Amino acid sequence: MHPEIQGYSDFIDMLLGKADSHAASLSTDALNWQPLDADTNSVAALCAHMCGVVRWWVQQGLTGNDVGRRRDTEFVARVDSDGNLSFWGTSRPLADVISETRSISREILANLDPATLTQQSAVDTLGPQLNRWALVHTIDELSQHVGHMELTIQLYNAQNP
């Protein structure tokens, strides 16, 4: 794998791994807890959104294959008592959703031709962007959301000692 692409792949995988690790350490109540009624997200919703970001920018953006993203459902995603996450109209174990997203990302990036980094992304929700920009944007988004997740966990733990 090209070193630049390897770096993107490793970083995306590490950030999804942090989300998985944080989620695995929490109870269902903690996963679904929101610090405020509005304008904040639960850890479950952040996990769903992070997976949506990767599937959108990496899977659809780099391959052009429609992933059927339902962004609105990511922010209302919850984990049920069996550990299943409602995600894009399905209900599956949260750990499986994250693991599958990590695998998809690694596979796509492992097979990515470095020349495609300077081509336009197949998604243009933020205007026309190069694939390289889309990968950096993905890392930026995931990094922010891991931070949001960590703050949410700290607030939950402070209120539920």
Side-chain angles (χ1 to χ4, degrees):
M1 185 183 312
H2 185 272
E4 180 181 4
I5 296 170
Q6 182 72 57
Y8 296 138
S9 181
D10 290 347
F11 215 135
I12 291 168
D13 192 62
M14 181 267 301
L15 291 166
L16 288 171
K18 282 186 177 193
D20 187 37
S21 178
H22 288 318
S25 72
L26 300 174
S27 67
T28 300
D29 183 60
L31 284 166
N32 293 326
W33 182 80
Q34 287 181 245
L36 302 171
D37 291 337
D39 298 324
T40 62
N41 295 296
S42 68
V43 171
L46 289 166
C47 287
H49 180 59
M50 289 173 70
C51 290
V53 165
V54 171
R55 291 170 189 230
W56 179 249
W57 288 106
V58 176
Q59 188 175 4
Q60 185 164 332
L62 295 176
T63 70
N65 296 326
D66 186 359
V67 296
R69 186 178 188 195
R70 296 171 55 192
R71 188 176 186 273
D72 57 326
T73 66
E74 295 165 13
F75 295 104
V76 295
R78 296 291 177 264
V79 173
D80 65 22
S81 60
D82 294 325
N84 293 320
L85 176 75
S86 297
F87 179 71
W88 293 4
T90 67
S91 183
R92 296 179 288 141
L94 173 59
D96 291 355
V97 173
I98 296 171
S99 176
E100 180 183 88
T101 302
R102 292 174 81 180
S103 294
I104 288 167
S105 177
R106 284 192 301 260
E107 181 179 337
I108 289 167
L109 293 173
N111 295 302
L112 190 67
D113 179 349
T116 63
L117 293 173
T118 59
Q119 295 173 357
Q120 186 171 325
S121 172
V123 296
D124 62 0
T125 51
L126 299 175
Q129 303 294 339
L130 297 180
N131 286 324
R132 178 178 282 119
W133 179 92
L135 290 169
V136 171
H137 177 70
T138 299
I139 291 167
D140 178 49
E141 281 272 319
L142 297 180
S143 297
Q144 288 180 44
H145 295 313
V146 166
H148 295 152
M149 188 179 295
E150 291 170 348
L151 288 170
T152 299
I153 293 167
Q154 289 172 352
L155 288 169
Y156 177 84
N157 289 338
Q159 292 187 11
N160 301 279

